[in-house]
Amino acid sequence: MAEDSVVAVYNTKSITADTKKKNNTFSIKVQLAQMLRGGAIVEVGNSQQAKIAEEAGACAVVVSSEYTQSGISRMPDPLLIKEIKRVVSVPVMAKARVGHFVEAQILEVIGVEYIDESEVLACSDEENYINKHKFRVPFVSGCRGLGEALSRVREGAALIRIQGELSRMGNIVETVRNVRSVMGDIRVLNYMDDDELFAFAKRISAPYDLVAQTKQMGRLPVVLFAAGGIATPADVALMMQLGCDGVFLGSEVFEGSDPCKRVRAIVRAVMHYNDAHVLAETSCGLVDSMERLNLNEDRGQQSGSEGVD
């Protein structure tokens, strides 16, 4: 994105000391999130994967969450987080359930650099998200549209993740749809008259002041990443060329015969997303490690052709 600076979101002339303190704290969180811009955040399940991600050039790692026998997903084991923090020097991120502020309190005490309030996990509160202004650590929040993104920013999110498919099968279509939706609304917003902003803010259920700031900046007031179905260097380059500031990579990137090569290639594609020659080079030799991602789709096509014959 063209704009390098991020304007403080809460910017009013007459504010109290407490409000000013909160604004300054949020500005610091936004600056910390800016440090991840132009990079790839890789999901890891153990210290070995974390080392691979760091060596490949990941700007941060996010620790995989735990799944119980009942299928409920919760925050990662604190022991795993501490172990990963000991072996890597890049920032460590961990997931908390939506609305579960106690999980966020635990993660902050452990010392993670970022907390992801993730809708990928089981939901703990269907109505209320975490009040992120109560925490010192920057938060990441997901969205599928501009209104949702700006609502999460109002709650204190310093980094927005446009979420796509959750099945980990390498299907990027939903991510592309949501990224284009957010970018399309921002482009429409840029051509609106100031008097039209009230109706637009109401239509997308977003705070008016943040809608106005987005129009002024020509982009979201915080860093914007994409997640879901991103499995190849070409996928990464697509997200970056559509206007994202970076990408999240799922733990499935470690599957295959040479996970080091694959993660390194995908991370390199983030830095060279506009260079087709580099993208072609990094895409070579990755087919065998991506077979599982299309397994269900291939089987469906095979069964369909058998029926036709």
Side-chain angles (χ1 to χ4, degrees):
M1 298 210 172
E3 186 91 11
D4 287 331
S5 60
V6 172
V7 180
V9 171
Y10 303 98
N11 184 20
T12 54
K13 294 183 179 179
S14 56
I15 53 178
T16 64
D18 289 340
T19 305
K20 185 180 295 185
K21 181 179 179 181
K22 184 173 73 172
N23 294 347
N24 292 338
T25 302
F26 181 72
S27 296
I28 293 172
K29 294 176 184 177
V30 170
Q31 292 171 17
L32 290 171
Q34 281 272 5
M35 295 172 62
L36 304 177
R37 189 175 180 185
I41 301 173
V42 182
E43 183 177 2
V44 299
N46 52 54
S47 57
Q48 183 180 4
Q49 291 180 351
K51 289 179 180 178
I52 292 174
E54 181 180 32
E55 292 171 1
C59 65
V61 296
V62 53
V63 185
S64 297
S65 299
E66 290 189 335
Y67 288 84
T68 65
Q69 292 181 349
S70 61
I72 300 297
S73 52
R74 304 189 177 102
M75 75 172 188
D77 187 331
L79 285 177
L80 175 60
I81 297 174
K82 292 178 180 179
E83 178 186 351
I84 291 176
K85 282 183 64 67
R86 281 196 297 266
V87 300
V88 298
S89 58
V90 295
V92 175
M93 184 183 298
K95 298 178 183 179
R97 283 176 281 179
V98 170
H100 207 311
F101 54 84
V102 176
E103 285 189 348
Q105 291 170 359
I106 294 172
L107 294 175
E108 184 175 50
V109 168
I110 293 172
V112 298
E113 281 77 14
Y114 302 88
I115 297 175
D116 185 349
E117 185 177 16
S118 177
E119 68 280 1
V120 176
L121 307 186
C123 185
S124 69
D125 192 329
E126 296 179 345
E127 299 294 333
N128 304 291
Y129 280 75
I130 297 172
N131 181 356
K132 304 157 192 63
H133 293 292
K134 292 184 176 181
F135 295 82
R136 297 184 304 276
V137 61
F139 270 75
V140 178
S141 289
C143 80
R144 296 178 186 274
L146 180 59
E148 190 177 5
L150 294 178
S151 295
R152 300 291 83 82
V153 174
R154 168 48 52 86
E155 295 162 357
L159 188 153
I160 292 297
R161 166 180 35 78
I162 301 182
Q163 186 63 52
E165 62 94 21
L166 307 178
S167 64
R168 301 176 182 271
M169 295 306 297
N171 189 351
I172 202 173
V173 63
E174 187 175 349
T175 310
V176 172
R177 182 189 306 121
N178 294 336
V179 169
R180 285 194 178 277
S181 172
V182 172
M183 299 304 177
D185 281 346
I186 292 176
R187 285 193 297 271
V188 169
L189 185 62
N190 289 338
Y191 290 99
M192 281 188 179
D193 185 272
D194 290 342
D195 295 337
E196 299 176 302
L197 297 184
F198 293 99
F200 183 79
K202 183 178 180 180
R203 185 164 68 252
I204 66 172
S205 301
Y208 168 78
D209 58 331
L210 296 188
V211 171
Q213 185 178 6
T214 302
K215 170 180 167 57
Q216 179 185 6
M217 297 178 64
R219 56 156 295 149
L220 281 183
V222 299
V223 180
L224 179 65
F225 275 51
I230 301 172
T232 68
D235 291 342
V236 168
L238 176 62
M239 294 296 99
M240 300 297 289
Q241 290 189 31
L242 286 176
C244 294
D245 295 313
V247 296
F248 279 81
L249 303 178
S251 57
E252 62 270 19
V253 297
F254 293 101
E255 299 178 4
S257 58
D258 193 348
C260 296
K261 177 181 178 181
R262 184 177 177 193
V263 177
R264 192 180 302 113
I266 295 177
V267 171
R268 188 183 177 197
V270 179
M271 297 181 286
H272 302 278
Y273 66 89
N274 268 327
D275 191 331
H277 295 286
V278 174
L279 295 176
E281 179 186 343
T282 56
S283 299
C284 293
L286 299 180
V287 176
D288 63 328
S289 64
M290 294 186 290
E291 288 179 353
R292 190 202 67 84
L293 295 178
N294 295 318
L295 184 60
N296 288 354
E297 180 181 347
D298 292 341
R299 282 180 176 174
Q301 290 176 352
Q302 289 173 6
S303 62
S305 3
E306 287 172 2
V308 172
D309 293 336

